[in-house]
Amino acid sequence: MNRFFIDKENISEELITIEGEDVKHIRDVIRLKEGDKIEISSEGILYICEISIIEKKKVIAKILHRESGDHEPPISIILYQGLPKSSKMDFIIQKATEIGVKEIYPIKTKRTVVKIDNKKKEKNKIDRWNKISEEAAKQSKRDYIPKVKSILSFKEMIKLLEDEENILVPYENEKTTSMKDVLKDFSNKKVHIIIGPEGGFEEEEIDELEDIGSKIVSLGPRILRTETAGLVALSILLYELGDM
């Protein structure tokens, strides 16, 4: 069944109202009909529904069954991704959503090449990245849509994380400490993963990350691209602590 995400205010005891772009998708793209069944997710609750009415601007679905969603990892993973060039961020967001990340912060570091020099351009990118996240969440049948947040500078990220625990930083110059070595000491259900851009982190950035308690780890003897490193780290984390 196709899955859609709906705000709670559109859900009554027996019916769910679908509005916006999903109506066109249902009617004109996947061409569902009245009587077809769909899945609707809202705030971690999964509704199995049957389409009752398809109109130009809304779709009404009857609730057949509801249950708690079971497609989320048991840990909350926040990804801080150094801004990469070209369309690599699209790929990272799509795959990180499929794997199970909860939130994504794009970050600017000293070696970041990409320049997003005005608020309108940044807003357009964030809006597009959130659409990519939503589509990936639908495809992978997540119970929540991971949120892509506003772009942070390195200093802003440090300030945001200075009182947090469980911060992982894969770094190509770290040769001995693996993720498995440090994960056994992680105590709560929230983990932060920080990935550098093309070219990696400056040494002074690593020093600042260590100063706030980050664990600097190796992902193995090979140098991984920025669009690969985060996905490998997410996969290892969920294998060791989660549901892979």
Side-chain angles (χ1 to χ4, degrees), residues 15-144:
L15 299 175
I16 297 178
T17 302
I18 302 172
E19 300 173 315
E21 293 182 4
D22 284 336
V23 174
K24 183 178 180 181
H25 186 73
I26 287 170
R27 189 185 66 237
D28 300 333
V29 179
I30 57 177
R31 298 180 180 275
L32 295 179
K33 305 295 183 185
E34 293 173 1
D36 286 343
K37 291 183 174 58
I38 57 174
E39 296 177 342
I40 291 175
S41 184
S42 180
E43 298 186 2
I45 303 299
L46 178 64
Y47 300 85
I48 307 301
C49 303
E50 181 181 282
I51 296 174
S52 300
I53 300 172
I54 299 178
E55 297 180 350
K56 185 175 181 179
K57 293 187 177 181
K58 66 181 179 182
V59 172
I60 307 295
K62 179 182 179 181
I63 299 171
L64 304 177
H65 174 68
R66 69 190 76 198
E67 61 189 45
S68 296
D70 61 358
H71 292 154
E72 292 301 305
I75 53 175
S76 294
I77 307 171
I78 318 300
L79 175 64
Y80 302 78
Q81 173 64 52
L83 280 169
K85 294 182 289 186
S86 64
S87 61
K88 293 176 183 177
M89 193 67 176
D90 298 4
F91 174 83
I92 292 167
I93 290 166
Q94 181 188 67
K95 300 309 174 188
T97 297
E98 291 177 18
I99 292 171
V101 74
K102 184 176 182 180
E103 293 179 351
I104 301 170
Y105 285 89
I107 59 170
K108 294 181 290 186
T109 71
K110 289 186 177 180
R111 294 183 183 176
T112 297
V113 175
V114 176
K115 304 298 181 186
I116 301 175
D117 48 15
N118 63 70
K119 290 295 182 181
K120 183 177 180 181
K121 185 185 291 187
E122 178 179 339
K123 182 181 182 303
N124 289 340
K125 280 191 175 291
I126 297 298
D127 287 347
R128 185 165 64 83
W129 288 336
N130 274 299
K131 285 184 179 179
I132 291 170
S133 174
E134 181 177 355
E135 288 304 312
K138 289 177 180 177
Q139 182 274 324
S140 57
K141 299 210 169 182
R142 295 282 302 270
D143 298 320
Y144 295 93

